[in-house]
Amino acid sequence: MSQRKLVLYIASSLDGYIATEEHSLDWLFAVEGEGDNGISKFYETVDSLLMGRVTYDWIMDYEKGEFPYKGKECYVFSKSRKEENEYVTFVNEDISQFTKNLKNKNGKTIWLVGGGNLLDTFMKEKLVDEIIVTIAPVLIGSGIPLFKNYNFQTSLSLKEINRFNQFAELHYEVVR
């Protein structure tokens, strides 16, 4: 049995930020895309989602409490929040071990939704198999970086480039 792939699928400003300091994505929604910018094609390959609590809270606030990923396994890493609901399992255990166990279960692609702190751990632990980043033609100057400053290198191999009007989607495979 082959391991499931864990894919970071995320949008970023051209200068490498996934949100402003205030967690705003207004700059992203102002860009003229094309259709759904490819998300439904990717979403069909996914059956599990991983995200941090701040990302979860942002999504629930943005979606006005209506969980958008029904029908998928969703795990939210949180040190404090524990209340389960029908759509989400809150996880407060070793990220690396939990993820390795999940990757070894039968299933489809695992989507690492965000955010920045969680992604940093996933990159350091070499848990990410592919990165699909959609670049918005916007410079926001500061905010939450896509990748924090870390003291190692990760080599990538370009698999595909797609254009969705003003967005450029870059699909990379992590070189092991």
Side-chain angles (χ1 to χ4, degrees), residues 12-32:
S12 171
S13 63
L14 182 60
D15 55 351
Y17 296 100
I18 57 175
T20 66
E21 301 284 353
E22 300 78 31
H23 301 279
S24 171
L25 296 179
D26 292 347
W27 56 272
L28 178 64
F29 300 132
V31 176
E32 192 173 332

Side-chain angles (χ1 to χ4, degrees), residues 17-152:
Y17 296 100
I18 57 175
T20 66
E21 301 284 353
E22 300 78 31
H23 301 279
S24 171
L25 296 179
D26 292 347
W27 56 272
L28 178 64
F29 300 132
V31 176
E32 192 173 332
E34 182 179 314
D36 67 0
N37 300 317
I39 192 165
S40 61
K41 180 181 173 191
F42 171 74
Y43 193 69
E44 289 170 11
T45 70
V46 170
D47 67 359
S48 302
L49 289 80
L50 304 176
M51 66 183 78
R53 190 199 46 78
V54 172
T55 299
Y56 172 77
D57 288 346
W58 185 93
I59 289 169
M60 294 307 290
D61 186 50
Y62 181 77
E63 298 289 342
K64 299 177 180 29
E66 186 67 27
F67 190 69
Y69 307 118
K70 295 174 183 167
K72 309 279 185 185
E73 284 184 326
C74 185
Y75 300 97
V76 176
F77 291 94
S78 174
K79 289 181 176 72
S80 58
R81 196 167 190 163
K82 303 261 191 308
E83 72 275 9
E84 302 290 318
N85 63 51
E86 62 184 306
Y87 306 116
V88 174
T89 301
F90 289 93
V91 177
N92 184 7
E93 58 185 86
D94 181 75
I95 290 170
S96 183
Q97 193 57 54
F98 177 87
T99 303
K100 287 175 184 172
N101 291 341
L102 186 62
K103 288 174 84 171
N104 284 319
K105 290 182 180 175
N106 282 330
K108 295 163 66 174
T109 300
I110 303 165
W111 176 14
L112 176 56
V113 179
N117 289 333
L118 191 61
L119 173 57
D120 187 54
T121 300
F122 273 80
M123 293 303 294
K124 284 179 181 171
E125 296 291 327
K126 300 186 184 326
L127 297 168
V128 177
D129 300 298
E130 294 183 13
I131 297 171
I132 302 172
V133 61
T134 302
I135 306 294
V138 178
L139 303 172
I140 62 174
S142 68
I144 300 166
L146 174 58
F147 299 109
K148 293 184 174 189
N149 294 331
Y150 48 79
N151 59 0
F152 63 90

